[in-house]
Amino acid sequence: MKRSASSISKAAPKAKKPRAEVPEYHLTPSVRDEAGEAIWPAPREQIELARKFILDASAKKKTLIVPDKDADGLTSGAILQKTLVLLGLEPGLISAHLLQKGSNIHEERERAAMAAHEPEYIFVLDQGSRKSPPAIDSPHKALVIDHHWASEDDFPEGSVHVTACNSPPVATSSLLTYHICNALHEQVHSSCDWLCAMGTHGDLGNTLKWEPPFPDMKATFKTYTKKAVNDAVSLINAPRRTATYDVPAAWAALTAAASPSDLLQNHSLLAARAEVNAEVERCTHAAPKFSGDARIAVFRIRSAAQVHPVIATRWAGHLQSPRLEVVLVANEGYLPGMVNFSCRIPRCARARKPPVDIIEVLNGIAARAPDPTLRERLGESFARGHKEASGGIVPRAEFEEFMDILEIGKKPEGDSPKKARKEAAPKQSNTLMNYFGKKATA
């Protein structure tokens, strides 16, 4: 007898899994001093030392600014440059050094290039840092303004530093620079507030809530609008992601601009953004492979453009798994013989307790290597950056050793619950085949 359609019970729709609730960034508890005051955006003594350093440099000293290549680093440099000019330093005494593709300030070629400017004062902004020789060999004074993770001695020899890395919620380098400079001249606020907003959105995203301890930027966004600021961020970030790594174009446009709108019609920046968007689209559809313990999702791409951080951030917002902790995107085409990789914490893991620390995860994996020399061979550019956003630049052979430790493609121990339930279910004994089989032998 046929059953009527109405008599067949409809299966209940499968409920969607709720997205993980991610705490608002500004609500991260601050560290407090003995008086109960929040130590933010950096220790007060470091901030005061940085202010004195800037004032000293403004007294007709030959000055070199060395900003990082992204929106946060470049806006930090622009804020500092504008402040020095406001304080009376002649523009002709200010130079900028922009690093070459895949390089860092500790390499000899970069130290030589910085020394060629014959600076008396050097400002290193948002570059990340490590224990190293002096910024240059000739006599100079150096200040590091940063927010990347670093221990107390992770700075060039003889330099002074101000860092936000131990003062949660960790401020960006641009916000820290703006906070330092704002107290030095009354016009810093009106000429640099939009740069602070750009750099901060560049690192922390455009959904950041500007609530305490972050400064009140309502007037800034009323003047320039968040859309203009965010569009300017994407344009300034684009040149350094292109295969030609045209950071000088971004720096020139930013330092010449008086507002975000000055950047929005820049043909060079618009062309760079179009090139990067096309490359991201080409590479973003690579399929992930998972580590044996399912904690790491690995994407492998090949591109001369720096699109691996963008793809890592994009996938971190989509991938979901109870075990997943890190999204890793490896780019084998960015530098010859090297693998550049970026890691991000997926949204589903951002509220974990204890919190995921990517630097700790990466170093922990390297420590499990059968060859104890692997960590050293991975080099100083491995597991740098932030606890929430790290990565590295490592030799290709060593990267493959690192991948071997992850056991990519190996299924986690134990079958899936669904498969286990299926195998555990009792088999039905009165099937049609059994029935007809019995009739045939009756």
Side-chain angles (χ1 to χ4, degrees):
M1 179 181 72
K2 290 185 178 181
R3 298 182 185 178
S4 64
S6 60
S7 67
I8 301 174
S9 61
K10 294 183 179 179
K14 191 174 182 180
K16 286 186 177 180
K17 187 177 180 180
R19 296 188 75 183
E21 288 293 327
V22 180
E24 296 291 351
Y25 189 76
H26 70 280
L27 296 176
T28 306
S30 296
V31 176
R32 299 187 177 275
D33 59 20
E34 294 178 357
E37 294 291 324
I39 303 174
W40 197 89
R44 183 175 300 174
E45 60 275 13
Q46 291 183 9
I47 291 173
E48 292 305 322
L49 190 63
R51 285 174 177 157
K52 182 180 184 306
F53 192 98
I54 294 169
L55 289 172
D56 290 345
S58 70
K60 296 184 171 26
K61 301 297 183 182
K62 199 170 183 182
T63 298
L64 180 65
I65 297 174
V66 189
D68 192 27
K69 59 192 176 295
D70 65 1
D72 188 31
L74 294 176
T75 54
S76 299
I79 291 168
L80 178 62
Q81 178 173 289
K82 288 178 182 292
T83 300
L84 287 169
V85 172
L86 287 170
L87 291 171
L89 186 60
E90 295 176 16
L93 290 173
I94 305 172
S95 301
H97 174 67
L98 305 170
L99 303 186
Q100 298 178 56
K101 182 177 179 178
S103 192
N104 63 69
I105 62 165
H106 310 291
E107 294 186 13
E108 285 305 317
R109 63 174 179 171
E110 299 294 353
R111 295 180 72 236
M114 289 188 286
H117 290 276
E118 299 180 345
E120 296 172 80
Y121 281 72
I122 300 176
F123 292 87
V124 179
L125 302 158
D126 195 43
Q127 295 283 3
S129 198
R130 68 179 73 152
K131 190 173 183 178
S132 65
I136 59 175
D137 290 331
S138 55
H140 70 285
K141 293 182 179 180
L143 171 66
V144 175
I145 301 178
D146 215 322
H147 69 142
H148 296 85
W149 174 251
S151 59
E152 190 58 35
D153 63 348
D154 276 344
F155 299 93
E157 183 182 331
S159 67
V160 294
H161 65 269
V162 53
T163 178
C165 75
N166 294 310
S167 301
V170 176
T172 59
S173 293
S174 53
L175 177 52
L176 178 56
T177 305
Y178 177 74
H179 178 84
I180 293 167
C181 294
N182 200 26
L184 299 179
H185 195 282
E186 60 184 5
Q187 292 181 33
V188 168
H189 171 73
S190 60
S191 61
C192 299
D193 57 344
W194 63 278
L195 291 166
C196 170
M198 270 186 65
T200 302
H201 280 200
D203 259 25
L204 298 181
N206 55 26
T207 59
L208 174 74
K209 292 187 177 178
W210 289 86
E211 296 180 12
F214 288 83
D216 185 352
M217 301 292 272
K218 292 186 183 70
T220 301
F221 290 120
K222 187 174 181 180
T223 302
Y224 302 110
T225 77
K226 284 189 177 181
K227 184 180 186 311
V229 168
N230 295 333
D231 284 348
V233 169
S234 71
L235 287 170
I236 284 298
N237 269 331
R240 56 106 172 188
R241 297 194 188 282
T242 62
T244 54
Y245 191 73
D246 193 10
V247 178
W251 174 251
L254 188 65
T255 52
S259 72
S261 60
D262 292 339
L263 302 171
L264 303 185
Q265 303 302 320
N266 185 293
H267 295 297
S268 176
L269 300 182
L270 289 166
R273 185 169 66 177
E275 177 187 332
V276 171
N277 287 346
E279 190 66 359
V280 168
E281 182 61 27
R282 183 183 74 83
C283 296
T284 200
H285 300 294
K289 293 186 178 180
F290 294 85
S291 59
D293 58 9
R295 294 171 61 205
I296 318 290
V298 177
F299 297 81
R300 302 190 73 152
I301 66 171
R302 183 179 293 276
S303 174
Q306 193 192 43
V307 294
H308 38 285
V310 180
I311 294 171
T313 300
R314 179 175 292 189
W315 276 107
H318 294 288
L319 282 182
Q320 293 192 55
S321 168
R323 297 188 188 184
L324 186 63
E325 294 181 356
V326 176
V327 173
L328 185 157
V329 178
N331 187 351
E332 300 171 61
Y334 190 66
L335 293 175
M338 307 293 282
V339 176
N340 292 62
F341 69 96
S342 293
C343 297
R344 300 291 184 268
I345 298 174
R347 181 183 174 86
C348 64
R350 288 177 198 163
R352 301 264 171 91
K353 299 293 182 183
V356 176
D357 181 337
I358 297 178
I359 294 175
E360 187 177 279
V361 169
L362 294 174
N363 282 320
I365 295 167
R368 303 202 313 263
D371 184 341
T373 69
L374 177 61
R375 178 61 190 88
E376 182 180 353
R377 288 184 288 116
L378 285 167
E380 290 290 336
S381 294
F382 173 79
R384 309 299 299 186
H386 305 281
K387 296 177 181 180
E388 306 84 5
S390 184
I393 307 170
V394 300
R396 188 166 297 172
E398 280 69 20
F399 184 77
E400 296 304 337
E401 283 187 56
F402 184 78
M403 288 290 102
D404 289 343
I405 302 167
L406 293 179
E407 298 182 314
I408 301 296
K410 180 181 177 182
K411 291 185 178 180
E413 292 183 8
D415 293 321
S416 67
K418 189 179 289 185
K419 184 177 179 182
R421 286 197 301 269
K422 186 176 180 181
E423 291 181 351
K427 293 182 178 180
Q428 184 177 344
S429 58
N430 59 335
T431 63
L432 286 173
M433 288 301 296
N434 287 341
Y435 175 80
F436 288 113
K438 288 176 183 177
K439 291 285 286 183
T441 55

